[in-house]
Amino acid sequence: MSDTSEERFAPDRLRCEYAANPLGIDERRPRLSWWICDPATPRGAAQTAYQIQAASSDVELAADRSDVWDSGKVESDQSIHVEYAGPPVQSRRRYHWRVRFWNAAGRPSEWSEPAWWEMGLLEASDYSARWIGASLVGGKEIGAPAPYLRKVFALKGKPASARLYVTALGLYEAQLNGQRVGEWVFTPGWTDYRRRVMVQAYDVTAAVRKGDNAVGAILGDGWACGHVGPVGRQFWSDRPKLLAQLEVCYDDGTSETIITDESWKTATGPILANDMQKGEAYDARLEMPGWADRGFDDSAWQPAVVFDDVRANLVASVGPRVREIQTLQPVAVTQPRGRVYVFDFGQNLVGRVRFRLRGQAGETVQLRHAEMLNSDGTIYTDNLREATSTDSYTFRADGEAEWEPRFTFHGFRYVELSGLRGQSWGRPGHDLSGEPTRDQLTAVVLHSDTPPTGQFECSHPLINQLQHNIVWGQKGNFLEVPTDCPQRNERLGWTGDIQVFVRTACFNMDVGGFMTKWLIDLADSQQDDGAYPIVAPDILHSGENGTAAWADAGVICPWILYLCCGDTRVLERHYESMVRFVEYMRAEAGEDLIRPVRGFGDWVNADAFTPLDMIATAYFAHSTDLLGRIAAVLGKDDDARKYRKLFEDIKAAFCREFVTETGRVFGGTQTAYIMALRFNLLPDSLRPVAMANLVEDIERGRCAAWPYLSRSGHLSTGFIGCKHINLALTEGGRLDVAYRLLMNEDYPSWLFPVRNGATTIWERWDGWTPEKGFQDPSMNSFNHYAFGAIGEWMYRTVAGIDLDEGRPGYKHAIIRPRPGGGLTHARGSLDSPYGRIECAWRIEAGQLHMDVTVPPNATATIHVPAASAKDVAESGKPLDAAEGVSNVRFADGAVVCEAVAGTYSFACPA
Ligand code: BGC
C-alpha cells in the first residue's frame, strides 16, 4: 500500500475500518475504503464501478488468483466503507486485498497496491491463556512496585509466523528475547474493563527463533488499578494482571502456543511506583539487566499467581492506540531558587519527559510537571489537585543515565528538575559546576494515533495561534478516550465536552477509529433506564447521568461521525441505544414534555445563567430531532415519522413554556437564544426577533456580575453556547457580529487567553487574568478543548469547507467561504474520506481570488461571494464557460454553482 503513488491511475490510500493494514481486528464484516486517483481526468474524476479482490496471500493476489473473494465489477460510486462480502472471516487469518475502479469514461484503472487486514481471535474458545500476576497488592492510596513476568520456552524450529496476543488489567509492556514488542504505550487501552478488555495482536515473527526464547511483560497500574479520575485506586482491579498467548506456526503447518499460566515467574524491579496521576518512581539500582532474555537467571523469581476469577470479555483492539507522536525541546531553562531548575517547553502538552543526565550512584532526581508558573518563576501546581505528577529517578552508578517513565503521563508545559547535586550536571566535557542545559530534557508527546487531516490558516496571527491551541487541546485530550483535561485528577471521558468539540475534532484529525471505539465505551456505560452517563467509561455513577447536553453525546457524536466520515454503521450499531436514551428523556419529561431542572447547565459561562429545565428540554428536542433523521437514514420510516412528530411536540411544549409571543426566550441569555435558533425550536415568525435579541445581548446585555457594564460586543456563553454562537449568528445573517466575537481580544473571548500566552485552550474564559491572576484552582485547567469548538466555525465559515447532510462524508461538499472581519486571506484543507478538499481565498488589489479543490469521486456546491455571475471568472474564463461547472445561479447572497472533482481558480471583485 502506498500513499505516494499519486500519479498512478489506481486507487490509493487503502483503509480497512479506518486503519491501514490493521492487525488483529474482530470486525466480522470489515469495511474497505480507498481514494481514487485519475491523473488524466483533471476535472470530473469519478468512480462508476469498482472491483475488490481478496486472497489468502499477496502472491495469489499478484497472480490474479483471488482465492478468497472477488466482488466482480460492481456498478457503484461507493469508494468508502464497502463491506467485505466474502466467506465468513476466520480467527488469525490475514486477508490480502486490492481494488480497481472504472472512471467516468468507463475505463478500468490499474489495480491498487495490495493491502491487508488480519483477524484477531474471534471466539472465547480461541484463548487458552490464563490471567496471571504477582502476589503483591497495593492499597487504596498507594500501589505496589510494578511486577515483571517472564517465561522461557523452546521452539522446535524457526517459525514461519508468530503472533503475540496480549492484554492486561492495568497496563503492559511486552518483551520478546529482550526486545520491546510494538510501539504502543498504555496498552491495552482504556475501556470499561467490566464489560470488555481489548487484546492487541503483534506480528513477532522476526523476534522468535529456533531453540530457547524468552517472553516477558512489565505491568503497570494504569486506569484499571491506579488512580482514575477523582475516585482513587483499584477501581477495576486490585493489582495488574496479564494475559498473553504466543502462537507460532511452522512451514510444515504445525503450530505451538505459549500461554500465560503458572509456569511463568515474577519479580519486582526498578519501577517502585507507577500511577497515571501521581507519576512514576524508578530506582535504577534495582534494574535486572537482561530480564527478558533467555539466559537470565530467574532462580530468585517467584512463580506467578494465576487468577481464574477474572471475568473480562476479551475483544480485539478497536481504533488507534497511543504512541509517541513527536518530541519537543525546551525553549528555556531558569533557576527560580537554589538547585531547582525549570525547563520551559514553550507548549502545553501531554506526555512525559525523557532525560539524559549525569549523577552519582544513589542520587535521586525529581521531575515535577506544571502547566503554568507562579510570578516568582516556580511552577504552579495548585490546579493539579491530587495529581502530584511527579517522576523520580535514582541513579544506579556514577555517570550518565537516560530515562523515560513508562506507565504515566502528565499535562505540562514546565518541568521542575531538582535533587541533583551541582557537580554532577552536564555531560562529559560539560562544565560540571554549571547549569543544566536544554538538550538534557526532551518532552515526549503522547496521544492516540489520530493523524492530522485538516489545516486552517488566515491573515490574523492570533487566530492562527488559536487554531494551533485548538489542535494542541485535541492532541492533549485524545488519549484513549476524549478527555476533559489531561493534568488534574480528572482526565475523564466527559460527554458534554466531546459533544461540543467532536465536529471540530473531525476537521483536525482522522478520529473515525478513535470515536468508534469511544462510542462503544459510551454504550457500555449506558444505564439500564437508557440514560447515557456524564463520563465514559463511567466511573462516577453519578446521579447526574442522563443530564442534558452531556448525555446527548450518545446521539450527537454518532451523528457527527456519520456526517463527517460517511459512517452509517455507527448509526446502525447504536440505534437501539439511542432510542432507549430518547425514550428515557421522554419518560423523565412526562406528559408536558418539559424536562426537570438538573445538570451542569451552560458550564463555565461568563456570568450568564441559562435555566436548566430550558436547556434540558432544548436538548431533548435536539436529540429527538437527530434520532428522527437517523431513523430516516437507516430506512426506519415509522420511527422517522414518530420522532419527527415527537420533536414537533417538544418544540410546541418548549415554546409554550419558555418563549413569549414577542420572541423572548426564557432566561434571556445568549445561550438561550442560540439553542432556540440552532435547534429549530421557534416558529419561523419569531426567528428574526430571537436573532435580534441575541445580538442585542451581545452588544448591550448586562450581567449579574457587572450590571452597570454592558457586554459591549462580547459573548457570555459556556460550553453549550460556545459551539453554536457563531454558527447561529452566521445563519441569522450577522456574520459581522460573529467575526467581532472571534476577533475580540479582551475577556471573555477566544483570543483573550491567546493574548495572554496560551498554547492550548483553557477551561475557563478567565483561567488567568492580569488583574486577578489564577482562577479557582479547584477547577482551572489550561488544556480543555471544549471552547475550541469555535474551530468548526472557522473551517466551515472562514475557510468555507462544509458538508451536505444528504450526501455525507463530503461525498458532496459545500464550499462557502465568508470573508469578513478584515481578514485578507484564509485557507482550509481537509483530507476527507474521498481525498483532499481545499479552499483558499485572498483579497488582492480589489479582487477576491478563491482556489478550490474538490476531491475525486466527489462533487461540490461552490458559493463565490460575488454580486453577479458575470463578475466571476474561473481560470480566466467566464464562469458559465468553465469546464466542470454547471447550474450557475445567484442564491443566498452569492454566485453559486455545481462543480465536479477538480481544482478551480475563481476571481471576482472583492
Ligand atoms: C470537567 C468538565 C465537565 C464538567 C461537568 C468538570 O470537572 O472538567 O469539563 O464537563 O466537570 O460538570
Side-chain angles (χ1 to χ4, degrees):
M1 213 218 73
S2 138
D3 278 346
T4 52
S5 56
E6 267 169 44
E7 290 314 307
R8 217 161 70 85
F9 175 40
D12 198 0
R13 200 179 174 278
L14 273 57
R15 293 287 184 268
C16 172
E17 295 296 325
Y18 294 106
N21 300 337
L23 175 61
I25 62 171
D26 62 5
E27 177 55 64
R28 286 163 197 260
R29 288 178 295 139
R31 291 166 306 169
L32 309 174
S33 306
W34 55 89
W35 285 4
I36 71 162
C37 182
D38 186 355
T41 312
R43 290 210 177 153
Q47 172 186 298
T48 53
Y50 68 83
Q51 181 179 11
I52 300 171
Q53 291 184 334
S56 56
S57 75
D58 44 9
V59 177
E60 297 291 315
L61 208 53
D64 283 328
R65 286 189 298 268
S66 45
D67 56 352
V68 173
W69 176 54
D70 189 334
S71 70
K73 181 177 176 185
V74 181
E75 308 282 346
S76 163
D77 65 351
Q78 188 182 355
S79 57
I80 66 170
H81 307 308
V82 176
E83 263 182 23
Y84 162 79
V89 291
Q90 289 166 20
S91 287
R92 305 175 179 87
R93 186 154 185 193
R94 183 174 287 203
Y95 295 79
H96 299 262
W97 68 286
R98 63 181 187 174
V99 57
R100 63 175 171 163
F101 71 98
W102 280 258
N103 73 3
R107 202 158 70 81
S109 76
E110 295 167 45
W111 285 102
S112 67
E113 296 289 324
W116 53 263
W117 77 88
E118 184 175 305
M119 302 309 298
L121 305 181
L122 298 175
E123 312 292 341
S125 58
D126 286 326
Y127 290 97
S128 46
R130 297 166 75 186
W131 287 95
I132 62 169
S135 52
L136 264 184
V137 192
K140 273 285 165 200
E141 298 293 327
I142 297 176
Y148 286 58
L149 293 137
R150 63 178 253 120
K151 176 190 169 81
V152 174
F153 58 95
L155 294 182
K156 66 178 187 189
K158 170 73 188 158
S161 79
R163 296 286 182 273
L164 181 64
Y165 301 97
V166 54
T167 189
L169 273 174
L171 305 175
Y172 72 83
E173 182 186 299
Q175 305 242 350
L176 247 178
N177 292 325
Q179 298 296 315
R180 179 176 166 191
V181 175
E183 57 163 358
W184 307 122
V185 292
F186 307 138
T187 43
W190 186 13
T191 49
D192 184 341
Y193 302 114
R194 266 170 303 209
R195 306 257 176 175
R196 67 188 74 230
V197 181
M198 296 191 293
V199 177
Q200 284 77 46
Y202 301 92
D203 181 351
V204 293
T205 310
V208 289
R209 59 196 165 207
K210 180 175 179 194
D212 278 351
N213 290 264
V215 57
I218 315 172
L219 298 185
D221 288 347
W223 295 279
C225 321
H227 284 90
V228 60
V231 301
R233 297 188 78 255
Q234 298 175 322
F235 187 80
W236 280 282
S237 181
D238 64 348
R239 72 194 100 181
K241 294 167 187 168
L242 173 75
L243 183 135
Q245 186 157 314
L246 174 65
E247 301 190 354
V248 300
C249 298
Y250 299 103
D251 280 330
D252 64 4
T254 60
S255 62
E256 275 183 84
T257 302
I258 292 91
I259 56 167
T260 43
D261 59 16
E262 68 288 337
S263 67
W264 286 53
K265 297 183 87 176
T266 181
T268 58
I271 304 176
L272 299 182
N274 70 92
D275 188 277
M276 301 286 227
Q277 298 180 1
K278 305 282 179 186
E280 196 159 311
Y282 189 92
D283 188 340
R285 292 171 301 184
L286 302 174
E287 279 173 356
M288 303 170 289
W291 72 271
D293 275 325
R294 54 186 171 175
F296 179 79
D297 174 11
D298 62 13
S299 53
W301 287 38
Q302 301 297 310
V305 182
V306 175
F307 304 95
D308 283 325
D309 56 347
V310 181
R311 303 263 168 274
N313 178 20
L314 300 174
V315 298
S317 220
V318 178
R321 301 277 71 74
V322 176
R323 67 172 175 83
E324 175 180 327
I325 302 289
Q326 69 196 96
T327 58
L328 296 181
Q329 291 307 127
V331 295
V333 189
T334 53
Q335 190 178 5
R337 60 188 165 83
R339 291 220 151 266
V340 172
Y341 296 89
V342 173
F343 290 71
D344 175 4
F345 286 95
Q347 173 62 53
N348 197 9
L349 64 97
V350 173
R352 55 209 183 192
V353 157
R354 180 183 300 149
F355 70 60
R356 192 164 39 78
L357 291 169
R358 284 177 74 78
Q360 294 173 355
E363 201 172 359
T364 299
V365 282
Q366 242 195 22
L367 299 154
R368 297 201 307 141
H369 301 74
E371 294 181 292
M372 299 291 267
L373 295 181
N374 294 305
S375 52
D376 63 0
T378 56
I379 58 171
Y380 173 77
T381 55
D382 294 357
N383 70 328
L384 304 184
R385 306 196 311 211
E386 314 295 313
T388 42
S389 298
T390 302
D391 299 331
S392 71
Y393 176 89
T394 303
F395 283 82
R396 175 187 181 89
D398 292 357
E400 191 172 78
E402 269 189 50
W403 182 69
E404 176 190 336
R406 270 193 179 79
F407 296 129
T408 193
F409 69 90
H410 314 290
F412 65 99
R413 168 174 170 171
Y414 302 96
V415 174
E416 179 203 84
L417 174 66
S418 64
L420 269 186
R421 293 189 282 263
Q423 69 279 11
S424 52
W425 283 118
R427 300 166 314 264
H430 185 77
D431 170 13
L432 289 185
S433 62
E435 309 299 319
T437 55
R438 283 199 229 158
D439 58 339
Q440 289 176 301
L441 261 61
T442 298
V444 178
V445 177
L446 303 171
H447 61 79
S448 290
D449 193 3
T450 50
T453 46
Q455 279 183 4
F456 174 90
E457 185 260 330
C458 70
S459 56
H460 193 309
L462 295 185
I463 296 174
N464 293 341
Q465 180 67 36
L466 173 66
Q467 167 64 13
H468 168 101
N469 295 2
I470 295 170
V471 170
W472 276 88
Q474 182 166 345
K475 286 161 81 74
N477 285 294
F478 274 47
L479 192 150
E480 276 299 325
V481 308
T483 57
D484 57 332
C485 61
Q487 72 298 80
R488 66 181 178 226
N489 61 335
E490 190 138 6
R491 312 180 183 194
L492 298 175
W494 279 96
T495 46
D497 306 40
I498 187 59
Q499 71 87 355
V500 303
F501 187 69
V502 64
R503 182 81 188 261
T504 300
C506 287
F507 276 109
N508 288 326
M509 296 180 202
D510 180 356
V511 299
F514 176 87
M515 288 301 298
T516 301
K517 179 261 175 196
W518 183 73
L519 286 170
I520 297 171
D521 299 337
L522 183 61
D524 278 352
S525 292
Q526 186 175 25
Q527 291 181 177
D528 291 344
D529 62 4
Y532 287 116
I534 52 173
V535 297
D538 188 8
I539 60 160
L540 300 178
H541 302 301
S542 161
E544 298 297 349
N545 280 356
T547 203
W550 269 252
D552 297 86
V555 180
I556 295 170
C557 293
W559 175 246
I560 298 295
L561 215 55
Y562 164 72
L563 290 183
C564 297
C565 304
D567 192 332
T568 312
R569 181 181 281 174
V570 77
L571 301 181
E572 276 161 24
R573 294 251 161 113
H574 296 289
Y575 185 74
E576 290 311 320
S577 154
M578 293 189 263
V579 167
R580 289 207 293 125
F581 172 61
V582 168
E583 293 302 333
Y584 155 84
M585 289 193 287
R586 189 211 294 258
E588 193 191 61
E591 290 282 285
D592 65 359
L593 298 177
I594 300 297
R595 287 188 74 198
V597 169
R598 67 192 182 90
F600 311 112
D602 191 19
W603 191 245
V604 288
N605 58 72
D607 296 306
F609 176 78
T610 307
L612 302 184
D613 48 352
M614 200 202 78
I615 293 178
T617 306
Y619 268 90
F620 174 28
H622 183 49
S623 281
T624 303
D625 177 24
L626 294 183
L627 182 61
R629 290 192 247 174
I630 291 167
V633 168
L634 299 179
K636 298 177 189 292
D637 297 340
D638 290 347
D639 275 11
R641 263 191 302 278
K642 170 171 154 189
Y643 290 109
R644 222 164 18 236
K645 163 86 168 61
L646 179 58
F647 168 70
E648 291 300 336
D649 292 347
I650 305 167
K651 179 172 168 176
F654 181 90
C655 287
R656 212 171 45 233
E657 194 80 11
F658 302 117
V659 184
T660 68
E661 283 171 9
T662 55
R664 288 200 166 274
V665 177
F666 185 47
T669 59
Q670 295 171 17
T671 293
Y673 286 108
I674 292 164
M675 284 190 307
L677 287 162
R678 286 279 295 151
F679 297 168
N680 186 22
L681 301 178
L682 298 173
D684 287 348
S685 59
L686 292 185
R687 289 182 69 87
V689 195
M691 257 309 290
N693 288 343
L694 167 61
V695 173
E696 173 66 16
D697 188 87
I698 293 170
E699 279 168 356
R700 273 172 292 276
R702 292 170 189 280
C703 62
W706 9 284
Y708 47 91
L709 284 178
S710 107
R711 297 204 182 275
S712 50
H714 288 79
L715 53 73
S716 67
T717 52
F719 281 13
I720 293 180
C722 84
K723 172 199 155 90
H724 293 286
I725 187 164
N726 274 14
L727 296 167
L729 288 165
T730 308
E731 287 163 4
R734 294 307 303 268
L735 185 68
D736 57 328
V737 183
Y739 267 110
R740 176 167 178 193
L741 293 181
L742 178 68
M743 301 273 180
N744 279 338
E745 294 182 21
D746 51 348
Y747 169 84
S749 69
W750 285 284
L751 296 187
F752 176 71
V754 171
R755 232 193 27 171
N756 284 290
T759 58
T760 36
I761 299 295
W762 294 355
E763 178 173 24
R764 311 175 76 126
W765 297 118
D766 58 351
W768 183 88
T769 68
E771 300 79 27
K772 296 193 234 157
F774 291 112
Q775 249 285 6
D776 176 0
S778 70
M779 215 195 80
N780 196 22
S781 148
F782 291 96
N783 196 355
H784 230 80
Y785 54 55
F787 285 156
I790 186 64
E792 165 183 353
W793 182 80
M794 287 156 46
Y795 276 103
R796 292 174 68 181
T797 310
V798 182
I801 298 179
D802 211 341
L803 51 76
D804 176 352
E805 200 178 299
R807 281 170 286 176
Y810 298 90
K811 178 76 172 136
H812 184 76
I814 309 291
I815 304 295
R816 191 180 187 188
R818 318 271 187 109
L823 295 181
T824 53
H825 78 256
R827 196 184 77 81
S829 72
L830 172 68
D831 285 348
S832 77
Y834 295 91
R836 178 158 299 179
I837 303 174
E838 274 188 285
C839 180
W841 59 263
R842 63 185 197 281
I843 297 170
E844 251 172 38
Q847 284 280 100
L848 175 84
H849 300 271
M850 201 174 127
D851 296 327
V852 175
T853 302
V854 180
N857 205 24
T859 51
T861 300
I862 301 177
H863 297 241
V864 184
S868 148
K870 287 200 280 303
D871 295 340
V872 183
E874 193 285 308
S875 300
K877 289 192 196 134
L879 187 56
D880 36 22
E883 191 196 333
V885 167
S886 61
N887 193 11
V888 178
R889 59 208 186 266
F890 190 82
D892 299 330
V895 172
V896 183
C897 62
E898 301 304 314
V900 296
T903 295
Y904 300 86
S905 195
F906 300 95
C908 65

